[in-house]
Amino acid sequence: MEDNKYQKVIADSKVLTDDAKVKAEVEALLAAHTAENDNKDVYKLMFNCIDLTTLGTDDSERSVAAFTQRVNDFENNYAEYPNVAAICVYSKFAEVVRETLEASDVNIAVCSANFPSSQARLEVKTVETALAVADGADEVDIVFPVSYFMDGAYEEIADEIAEIKQSARHGDTEAHLKVILETGLLKSAENIKIASILSMYSGADFIKTSTGKIYAGATPEAAYVMCQCIKEYYEKCGRMVGFKASGGVRTTADALKYYTIVKEVLGEKWLNKDYFRIGASSLANNLFADITGEDVKPF
C-alpha cells in the first residue's frame, strides 16, 4: 500500500488516543472486572498462554537445551496441568530447541530480524528469519522498524514487515509473525495505534508490546490501545490477530490485568494460546505456585 492509503486507514480509525482518557478507561475496566477473573481456572489458561523465554547474552547451546528439557520434564511430572504455549529463544537456537523438545503441543518461537533494535539491512533480517524457520521455528518475533516510523515512512514499514513474513516460510511451513511494537519507546496512545494498524495491515499474526530489553515493558494502557486496534481491524477485515504482553509481566496479578483487558475488549474468542500470549520467564514459576498452592519451581 502507498503511504496515503495507510494515512486513510489511520485517519478512519476510531480507537481512542487521548492518553488521559485511555488511562481512565483502563483503570475503570480493571476495577470492575479483575476480581471476577482471579481464580485457578484462569491461572491455568494464562499458564498455557506463556511463551517461556530465555534471551540472555550468556545463552548457549547447552543452557538452551537444558531450558528446553525443563519443559519436557514439566509434561512428564505435571501431566494434569497444561504446558506452556512456546519456548522463545534467539533465532540461532531454533535447531537446539527442535532437537531437544519432546513435550507435545509446545511451539518453538524465535526472536529474529536483528532483535532487539531492528537496526539492520532488510536482507539480513530476511535471511536470519528464513534460517530460523528452516531450523524449526514455528513463530517469529520481530521488532517493528521504529526508525522508519520516526521518519513517517509508512510504505517502507509495510514493505519490510511483508517481506519478513514472506521469508518466514519453508516448504509447507509458514511461521506465525509476531511484531513487537516496543510500546515503551512509542509511548503515546497515538503512536501505539498507528504502529498497531501498520503492523496488522502488513500481515502481522500477532502484535506484541515490548522486547523487555531496552525500553519500558508492557503496560495496561498500551495493551488496551492495541486490543482496541485488533478489535477494529477484525471488524473491518475479518481476520483475527493475536495479542502478546511482554516485558515486566512477572506476577499472577500482573498477568491478570492483561487477561482481563483481552477478555473485556476482544472477548472469549481470544482467550486461548492461539490469540493470547504472555512473554515471560519468572511468571511461569510464580503462576504455577498460585495454581498448585505449593512453592515449586518447574522452570
Side-chain angles (χ1 to χ4, degrees):
M1 282 189 181
E2 298 175 358
D3 282 1
N4 61 347
K5 293 183 179 179
Y6 281 112
Q7 293 282 12
K8 184 178 187 309
V9 172
I10 292 163
D12 288 345
S13 173
K14 306 301 182 187
V15 172
L16 181 65
T17 56
D18 182 302
D19 290 302
K21 290 181 179 178
V22 168
K23 183 176 178 59
E25 289 195 6
V26 170
E27 289 176 351
L29 183 155
L30 294 177
H33 297 288
T34 301
E36 69 198 45
N37 300 319
D38 193 3
N39 61 74
K40 289 188 178 181
D41 286 338
V42 171
Y43 298 172
K44 290 177 185 178
L45 188 150
M46 293 193 299
F47 188 89
N48 189 224
C49 294
I50 288 176
D51 285 355
L52 191 67
T53 303
T54 180
L55 294 169
T57 302
D58 59 347
D59 284 353
S60 67
E61 290 190 8
R62 182 178 298 175
S63 71
V64 169
F67 185 78
T68 305
Q69 185 57 46
R70 288 196 285 274
V71 175
N72 295 337
D73 293 341
F74 180 87
E75 181 169 86
N76 295 328
N77 296 334
Y78 303 101
E80 67 272 32
Y81 296 105
N83 212 329
V84 296
I87 297 171
C88 185
V89 297
Y90 283 117
S91 62
K92 66 178 286 186
F93 296 119
E95 187 172 18
V96 175
V97 179
R98 178 173 56 82
E99 291 177 348
T100 310
L101 184 63
E102 297 171 353
S104 57
D105 205 24
V106 176
N107 281 355
I108 302 170
V110 299
C111 290
S112 183
N114 205 46
F115 175 94
S117 72
S118 191
Q119 296 284 22
R121 294 172 65 95
L122 178 57
E123 294 88 345
V124 174
K125 297 178 181 183
T126 55
V127 168
E128 181 185 2
T129 300
L131 289 171
V133 176
D135 284 345
D138 303 298
E139 306 171 6
V140 177
D141 292 29
I142 68 168
V143 177
F144 181 79
V146 179
S147 59
Y148 284 138
F149 184 80
M150 295 304 183
D151 290 342
Y154 293 170
E155 187 171 1
E156 284 82 355
I157 291 170
D159 288 346
E160 177 162 307
I161 294 173
E163 286 198 40
I164 296 173
K165 184 177 174 70
Q166 180 67 31
S167 73
R169 295 176 178 174
H170 180 74
D172 295 332
T173 300
E174 182 175 346
H176 279 188
L177 186 68
K178 308 210 283 291
V179 178
I180 308 165
L181 304 187
E182 201 66 295
T183 55
L185 172 60
L186 295 177
K187 294 183 179 177
S188 72
E190 177 71 24
N191 285 343
I192 293 167
K193 179 183 85 167
I194 294 171
S196 297
I197 290 171
L198 291 172
S199 297
M200 291 187 292
Y201 277 88
S202 302
D205 299 297
F206 265 77
I207 52 176
K208 171 180 169 181
T209 58
S210 318
T211 64
K213 286 292 181 183
I214 303 172
Y215 302 95
T219 65
E221 291 77 17
Y224 183 76
V225 173
M226 291 166 68
C227 287
Q228 292 287 357
C229 289
I230 291 170
K231 179 180 180 180
E232 184 178 73
Y233 177 81
Y234 177 66
E235 290 170 349
K236 289 182 177 180
C237 301
R239 184 171 75 95
M240 290 177 68
V241 172
F243 167 77
K244 178 175 173 179
S246 186
V249 187
R250 297 184 177 89
T251 67
T252 299
D254 291 335
L256 269 176
K257 295 175 184 177
Y258 298 103
Y259 174 93
T260 301
I261 290 168
V262 171
K263 180 181 177 182
E264 294 304 315
V265 176
L266 293 171
E268 298 282 348
K269 287 171 63 175
W270 267 263
L271 292 177
N272 58 74
K273 67 179 182 178
D274 291 334
Y275 296 103
F276 176 44
R277 294 287 179 86
I278 306 169
S281 51
S282 58
L283 173 66
N285 284 333
N286 293 334
L287 189 54
F288 192 66
D290 286 335
I291 291 169
T292 60
E294 300 175 5
D295 186 18
V296 291
K297 295 180 171 58
F299 305 114

